[in-house]
Amino acid sequence: MGGDHAPEEIIAGAVAAVREHGVRLVLVGRAARIRRELDLHGVLGTIPIVHADEALDMGEGALASWRKPRSSIAIACHLIKQGRASALVSAGSTAGVVATSRLRLKGQQGVVRPAIAVALPTRPRPTILLDAGATADVKPEGLVQFAALGTAYAQILLGVDRPTVGLLNIGTEPGKGNKLTKRAHELLATGSHGIEFAGNVEGHDLLGGRVDVIVADGFTGNIALKTVEGTVATAFTEIRDAMTSTPAARMGALLQRRRLQDLRDRLDPDTYGGGVLLGLNGTVVIAHGASRARAVTAACDLAHRLAAGRIVERIREQVAATRTSRFGRWTHGERDGDRPAEKPADRPGERVPEVPSPAADTVPDRKEPPAAP
Amino acid sequence: MGGDHAPEEIIAGAVAAVREHGVRLVLVGRAARIRRELDLHGVLGTIPIVHADEALDMGEGALASWRKPRSSIAIACHLIKQGRASALVSAGSTAGVVATSRLRLKGQQGVVRPAIAVALPTRPRPTILLDAGATADVKPEGLVQFAALGTAYAQILLGVDRPTVGLLNIGTEPGKGNKLTKRAHELLATGSHGIEFAGNVEGHDLLGGRVDVIVADGFTGNIALKTVEGTVATAFTEIRDAMTSTPAARMGALLQRRRLQDLRDRLDPDTYGGGVLLGLNGTVVIAHGASRARAVTAACDLAHRLAAGRIVERIREQVAATRTSRFGRWTHGERDGDRPAEKPADRPGERVPEVPSPAADTVPDRKEPPAAP
């Protein structure tokens, strides 16, 4: 139900994911509305539906996760906790999706803070950037964990055994940076945590394909990601203007149209499937709010691949490797993963509201392994 | 003497600045080498030279400012202190130039930390981004001062009376961001400091021309700037490849060549003159290390315009306005501007080395107002 073009484009994308990629999924949202859309696609009855009374509004932030216990995201998380799904996909408000899934799924054992990973369209293979905005303030040890999360993600997405990891910084030498990155560099450079650390990378290396994984705090990573997107959009607008400014240039543009469209697609965030929230007990793929069907299909396919690659288990192993290193004592602040389920008493006046069980008639009781909703 | 193509391209650029823009300047560096270059340009004797024994190496960082009291940068700073110049231009190592000029020129009265401002190639007029890397760790009050520095700079460069200022952040709503930007937003939103605050801007707004000035800490600003540069470079490489991939596309590219070259020039860091270190007792323009003559000319012209616009006085007025507001008490940490000249005793074992006076025969004793070296 989330996203600027929900539910039409979301459902169209999901249907395509089923048809073209063989993804098994459950649609969570207002059942009547979803049935109408599925009917239009001629697939009513073939894709299971779980009804959710509510949906997060695009403007809603973190508090929505408390206010709306029956939101489609909350119910999708519940399916994951029940083992009836392995991953969820949403194009809803990033803040709302992150807050709800942190609250419902909890951080996985040993993970201090979750991170959003995105795949930048570098060549010959994508570069993973994390954190793209889940955790704005992070400690140096948190960046080391992000390196572990990114390593696990890159192993599955890129199929490389020991992905190289760079630290996003403002100079290549070890002593460069702010307090956070200077210390994080020291920790990563010890090499005793199973991470293939390749040193600092700078802003102009983001699209250079120099490393497989680039690690940053969520503030810096979000600024960097949106700067790439905005700059690509500006460059294409300028080029389009330049190409159609004279008759000769217009003629030239016609001759190149198809090739340039291919290029634009590759640099378009729609085609690389959205961000993935890593570090929780379940995989959460967050598509752009502006996602159309194609982007939703890519996000469903990504969720499917990550679940098939057992991303949660891989992260557990990678994070365990950083914790057994000599820098592995986490003594600072609260952390998501080490706490048991949050007690209502921890937050006076607030309770984690109960999620109602999905109505039995809307989701089939399946014996197969869980699918991505 | 600084930069990848020094001194040939530096001197060529300076000569062009004198010829084409009427900038009055002094060349500081190894006199014999400079004379040889000026001779090649046929202008020997028309541009004054001040000899400097040493030059900072490109790899040298902050310590060089202590180790090399007779570097060309240190001597150029000395000319400013003597009132024989108003501004300096260098394509040397940013860390070295920033450290040397902070040490020699000192922060101007009331300025806690200096910032590097760059002009992004937005339309219809540039957007000023600061800090692009002078101060990696900054407090919320420091960001308010950067807004004041940027306001003064934009008044001169853009010729607008009340430039709008945006805070680089990871969401547009006031409550978004990390600890630093949340607090800085609160301070800026009071509106009691003579700054035309326009709220948060995001990474994709950098090239959107939404505001006149964008404020960030030096870490974030540097990442954002280099990300813009790297993305523009990647986009153009991709487009060139796309355009020459088939005979039809090659034909098209020929038809568009001139128009695309114009565009590329506008997005090329070389043409917008480099960064300006604001907040010291004198203006310091830092050109890219890779600067060729054209970039050096642009940097000299920029230094000339800022000196003519009395940037240091403007900053003093703007910063005074932030200090008389109710958030104007600066009680945290050391600050550059409020200290008198740094005492050698403050840093055991280190002394600010004396700069020798320039030899009297190499720089003319002039009665005119000071020029940009």
Side-chain angles (χ1 to χ4, degrees):
Chain A
M1 305 307 293
D4 302 342
H5 308 292
E8 296 83 354
E9 294 282 327
I10 308 295
I11 294 171
V15 169
V18 172
R19 279 180 178 154
E20 293 161 22
H21 299 274
V23 177
R24 284 174 306 123
L25 52 80
V26 180
L27 291 166
V28 183
R30 292 194 184 92
R33 186 81 182 80
I34 296 174
R35 277 197 203 95
R36 207 157 65 231
E37 288 295 320
L38 290 182
D39 200 17
L40 291 174
H41 288 282
V43 291
L44 187 59
T46 66
I47 299 179
I49 300 168
V50 170
H51 178 68
D53 283 336
E54 298 174 313
L56 303 189
D57 297 327
M58 285 311 277
E60 279 184 301
L63 276 179
S65 54
W66 293 89
R67 267 197 308 257
K68 291 189 172 168
R70 299 165 70 91
S71 71
S72 48
I73 296 292
I75 293 191
C77 289
H78 191 65
L79 293 178
I80 293 178
K81 283 176 76 172
Q82 287 184 313
R84 296 165 84 179
S86 307
L88 76 87
V89 173
S90 173
S93 128
T94 301
V97 173
V98 170
T100 304
S101 44
R102 282 182 73 168
L103 180 70
R104 302 280 163 197
L105 296 176
K106 310 288 181 211
Q108 66 177 102
Q109 177 71 36
V111 175
V112 178
R113 288 277 183 275
I116 295 174
V118 294
L120 299 170
T122 48
R123 284 198 290 197
R125 61 188 187 212
T127 293
I128 312 297
L129 171 69
L130 82 168
D131 172 23
T135 306
D137 291 292
V138 68
K139 296 214 162 47
E141 294 80 2
L143 287 183
V144 176
Q145 282 211 338
F146 290 174
L149 302 184
T151 296
Y153 183 61
Q155 284 171 343
I156 297 171
L157 194 75
L158 312 180
V160 281
D161 215 35
R162 285 185 66 82
T164 53
V165 177
L167 177 66
L168 187 57
N169 208 339
I170 58 172
T172 48
E173 304 84 358
K176 295 276 184 170
N178 57 10
K179 285 176 197 158
L180 173 66
T181 55
K182 281 179 193 166
R183 178 67 182 141
H185 190 287
E186 288 174 6
L187 294 178
L188 286 164
T190 63
S192 58
H193 33 51
I195 291 160
E196 192 73 24
F197 183 51
N200 291 330
V201 297
E202 296 189 79
H204 41 57
D205 299 321
L206 280 172
L207 297 184
R210 278 192 50 209
V211 292
D212 296 316
V213 177
I214 295 177
V215 170
D217 66 89
F219 183 86
T220 307
N222 185 277
I223 298 278
L225 176 66
K226 287 182 177 162
T227 301
V228 168
E229 291 176 3
T231 307
V232 167
T234 301
F236 272 99
T237 305
E238 297 273 347
I239 283 156
R240 199 189 50 210
D241 292 353
M243 281 186 158
T244 53
S245 59
T246 66
R250 267 197 295 279
M251 167 71 86
L254 278 176
L255 297 172
Q256 298 161 356
R257 182 177 289 169
R258 166 115 176 270
R259 192 68 175 75
L260 281 176
Q261 190 57 50
D262 289 352
L263 168 62
R264 170 138 208 189
D265 285 355
R266 203 165 61 71
L267 295 176
D268 181 350
D270 263 18
T271 56
Y272 54 85
V276 179
L277 183 60
L278 299 173
L280 304 183
N281 290 307
T283 303
V284 178
V285 176
I286 306 169
H288 268 249
S291 290
R292 297 211 172 255
R294 191 176 58 163
V296 174
T297 304
C300 292
D301 185 42
L302 178 60
H304 180 77
R305 288 174 61 193
L306 291 172
R310 309 183 67 78
I311 179 77
V312 176
E313 288 74 15
R314 291 250 197 164
I315 287 175
R316 186 175 306 133
E317 291 161 19
Q318 280 293 338
V319 169
T322 71
R323 289 167 63 90
T324 52
S325 82
R326 69 193 176 96
F327 294 105
R329 277 153 294 138
W330 309 102
T331 52
H332 44 81
E334 60 160 358
R335 63 205 85 153
D336 286 10
D338 288 354
R339 283 178 296 168
E342 198 160 312
K343 305 277 187 318
D346 290 345
R347 301 210 184 199
E350 291 181 317
R351 296 173 54 88
V352 181
E354 280 295 303
V355 172
S357 273
D361 63 309
T362 50
V363 64
D365 194 10
R366 297 186 294 135
K367 299 289 174 214
E368 317 104 307
Chain B
M1 307 306 293
D4 301 343
H5 308 292
E8 296 85 353
E9 295 280 329
I10 308 295
I11 293 171
V15 169
V18 172
R19 280 180 177 157
E20 292 160 23
H21 299 275
V23 177
R24 285 175 304 124
L25 53 79
V26 181
L27 292 166
V28 183
R30 293 197 183 89
R33 186 82 182 80
I34 296 174
R35 277 198 202 96
R36 205 155 65 231
E37 289 295 319
L38 290 182
D39 200 18
L40 291 174
H41 290 282
V43 290
L44 187 58
T46 67
I47 299 179
I49 299 168
V50 171
H51 178 69
D53 283 337
E54 298 175 311
L56 302 189
D57 296 327
M58 287 310 279
E60 277 183 303
L63 275 178
S65 53
W66 292 90
R67 266 197 308 256
K68 290 190 173 169
R70 299 166 71 92
S71 70
S72 49
I73 296 292
I75 292 190
C77 289
H78 192 64
L79 292 178
I80 293 178
K81 283 177 74 173
Q82 287 185 312
R84 297 166 83 179
S86 307
L88 77 87
V89 173
S90 172
S93 129
T94 301
V97 174
V98 170
T100 304
S101 45
R102 283 182 72 167
L103 178 70
R104 301 280 164 199
L105 297 176
K106 310 290 180 207
Q108 67 176 102
Q109 177 71 36
V111 175
V112 178
R113 288 277 183 275
I116 295 175
V118 294
L120 299 171
T122 49
R123 284 198 291 198
R125 59 187 186 215
T127 294
I128 313 296
L129 171 68
L130 81 167
D131 172 22
T135 306
D137 291 293
V138 68
K139 297 216 161 43
E141 294 81 2
L143 286 183
V144 176
Q145 283 211 337
F146 289 175
L149 302 183
T151 295
Y153 183 61
Q155 283 170 345
I156 297 171
L157 194 75
L158 312 179
V160 282
D161 213 36
R162 286 184 66 80
T164 53
V165 177
L167 176 66
L168 187 58
N169 208 338
I170 58 171
T172 49
E173 304 85 358
K176 295 276 184 169
N178 57 10
K179 286 175 196 157
L180 172 67
T181 56
K182 280 179 193 167
R183 177 69 183 141
H185 190 287
E186 288 174 6
L187 294 177
L188 286 164
T190 63
S192 58
H193 32 51
I195 291 160
E196 192 73 24
F197 183 52
N200 291 329
V201 297
E202 296 189 78
H204 41 57
D205 299 320
L206 280 172
L207 297 184
R210 278 190 50 208
V211 292
D212 296 316
V213 177
I214 294 177
V215 170
D217 65 90
F219 183 86
T220 307
N222 184 278
I223 298 276
L225 177 67
K226 287 182 178 161
T227 301
V228 168
E229 291 176 2
T231 307
V232 168
T234 301
F236 273 100
T237 305
E238 296 273 347
I239 283 156
R240 197 189 53 211
D241 291 355
M243 281 186 159
T244 53
S245 59
T246 66
R250 268 196 295 279
M251 166 71 85
L254 278 176
L255 297 171
Q256 298 161 355
R257 181 177 292 168
R258 165 116 175 270
R259 191 71 176 74
L260 281 177
Q261 189 57 50
D262 289 351
L263 168 62
R264 170 137 209 189
D265 284 354
R266 205 165 60 70
L267 294 176
D268 181 350
D270 263 16
T271 57
Y272 54 87
V276 180
L277 184 61
L278 299 173
L280 304 183
N281 290 308
T283 303
V284 180
V285 176
I286 306 168
H288 267 249
S291 290
R292 296 212 172 254
R294 190 175 60 159
V296 174
T297 304
C300 292
D301 185 43
L302 179 60
H304 180 74
R305 289 174 61 193
L306 290 172
R310 309 181 69 76
I311 179 77
V312 175
E313 288 73 13
R314 293 251 195 164
I315 287 174
R316 187 175 305 133
E317 290 160 21
Q318 280 294 336
V319 168
T322 71
R323 289 166 63 90
T324 53
S325 82
R326 67 191 175 95
F327 294 104
R329 277 152 293 139
W330 308 103
T331 53
H332 44 81
E334 59 158 0
R335 64 207 84 157
D336 285 9
D338 287 355
R339 282 177 296 169
E342 198 159 313
K343 306 271 189 320
D346 291 345
R347 302 207 182 203
E350 291 181 318
R351 296 175 53 88
V352 181
E354 281 296 304
V355 172
S357 274
D361 64 309
T362 51
V363 65
D365 194 12
R366 297 184 295 137
K367 297 289 173 217
E368 317 106 305

